[in-house]
Amino acid sequence: TAEIYDYGGGVIASKAANVKTKSMTGQQLIDATVSTLRSLLDEQETEIGPLARISVGVEGIVDGAGRILLSSPVIDVQNIPLGEALEREFMAPAELANECNMIAEALRWRAPERYGPNFAAVVLTIGIGMGLYLNGHLFSGIASSATEFGHLCYKPDGALCRCGRRGCIEAYAGQHSIWRAAIGA
């Protein structure tokens, strides 16, 4: 999904594209992302001006600088330089962030007095993740997504997780694991 927001956080335009990412190459994912955003921009009846910033929420792990999609359960390829590609194409600063971190950021931005300087936003959907605010700042660790606790080892040599490792918390409590248990697999 691509969306364009105004400076007040209001949605100007939105476009969804059904893209099967799992078997794509990194370049194909970049091309699909650029194409979706370019199409949304081209569809606008009035000129909205150049983009001031591009923020990309991804399911998966990004590097600490917010430039590279290190790994994601939605694609089999790793280390995709999506941020750099978007900056080249649209001439605007681009940053990638884990979706859980973006949820925490949105909560803090919308109601800082409610959430205060320290809180966690736990996300239990297809995967399991967390966005964490400490001392008024989003915590992401030294190099990447430190709060991706869904991929901590719960049971060594346990059930296969969709990340490719075994025994992750997500392999026992994520949506795919619940489905697997329901069908007796």
Side-chain angles (χ1 to χ4, degrees), residues 100-122:
C100 300
N101 286 348
M102 291 190 89
I103 291 169
E105 189 73 44
L107 292 171
R108 176 84 169 129
W109 186 74
R110 294 254 181 191
E113 68 288 341
R114 177 176 181 186
Y115 292 98
N118 302 299
F119 71 94
V122 177

Side-chain angles (χ1 to χ4, degrees), residues 65-116:
R67 315 283 297 142
I68 300 169
L69 178 58
L70 297 175
S71 67
S72 175
V74 302
I75 190 166
D76 290 334
V77 180
Q78 297 180 342
N79 301 317
I80 303 169
L82 185 56
E84 297 165 13
L86 290 168
E87 284 186 357
R88 274 194 313 273
E89 182 68 28
F90 296 101
M91 304 302 290
E95 183 177 10
L96 310 178
N98 175 271
E99 63 185 344
C100 300
N101 286 348
M102 291 190 89
I103 291 169
E105 189 73 44
L107 292 171
R108 176 84 169 129
W109 186 74
R110 294 254 181 191
E113 68 288 341
R114 177 176 181 186
Y115 292 98

